[in-house]
Amino acid sequence: MEQKHTLEENGYYAQVTDQLIENIGYQMIRRNWSMKTLADKADLPYETVKHLMAGKIGRPSFISILKIANALECSLDDLAGRNNPALEALRRLADHADGMYQIFAEVEHLLHPNFMMRRENNK
């Protein structure tokens, strides 16, 4: 008999929820908000926010997450970790790595014109 693998069996929901909690926490820290402040601004019961942030809610409701995103003035993608500014910066940096290497080589040559000649002579 073939076994079906659900997303939950693979830990997908736990992973998504952990990412969500981490990003909500980050947004709260940026604003210096407590869980009570978030609950009030999101119009959610404090216990709901407390249980969510403690990881006791394995699959939070879409409405709750939408209310939290609205209160934090960020997108659902931000909370899901899809719009991570640091990751985007690293991707852009990686896209231009070859060009940056060339620029660094040129700067090095301008600052230390004899460096490459010394390096070649030492071989």
Side-chain angles (χ1 to χ4, degrees):
M1 182 179 265
E2 184 180 326
Q3 275 198 329
K4 293 183 180 178
H5 295 283
T6 65
L7 293 174
E8 197 162 3
E9 288 173 343
N10 293 330
Y12 178 78
Y13 289 124
Q15 183 180 2
V16 170
T17 302
D18 289 347
Q19 183 70 54
L20 184 70
I21 292 167
E22 183 179 325
N23 291 330
I24 291 170
Y26 169 73
Q27 294 291 338
M28 289 171 59
I29 289 168
R30 283 185 58 217
R31 290 163 177 76
N32 197 26
W33 285 7
S34 66
M35 284 189 277
K36 176 73 172 119
T37 302
L38 177 60
D40 291 345
K41 292 193 180 273
D43 194 29
L44 290 169
Y46 170 73
E47 290 297 315
T48 299
V49 173
K50 184 172 108 177
H51 284 94
L52 172 66
M53 297 307 290
K56 294 181 180 179
I57 300 176
R59 291 171 58 181
S61 77
F62 177 76
I63 297 300
S64 293
I65 299 307
L66 185 59
K67 285 183 169 186
I68 289 171
N70 286 336
L72 293 168
E73 297 179 347
C74 64
S75 71
L76 294 172
D77 279 340
D78 290 333
L79 293 185
R82 294 183 188 170
N83 288 340
N84 186 325
L87 288 177
E88 289 302 316
L90 285 173
R91 284 186 193 111
R92 284 194 309 275
L93 182 61
D95 289 344
H96 301 291
D98 289 337
M100 291 181 64
Y101 176 78
Q102 182 62 36
I103 291 170
F104 287 136
E106 288 176 26
V107 169
E108 182 179 51
H109 177 70
L110 291 171
L111 293 175
H112 306 285
N114 297 324
F115 179 77
M116 292 305 286
M117 287 177 22
R118 281 185 298 208
R119 185 184 242 182
E120 291 298 320
N121 291 335
N122 289 334
K123 284 186 179 181

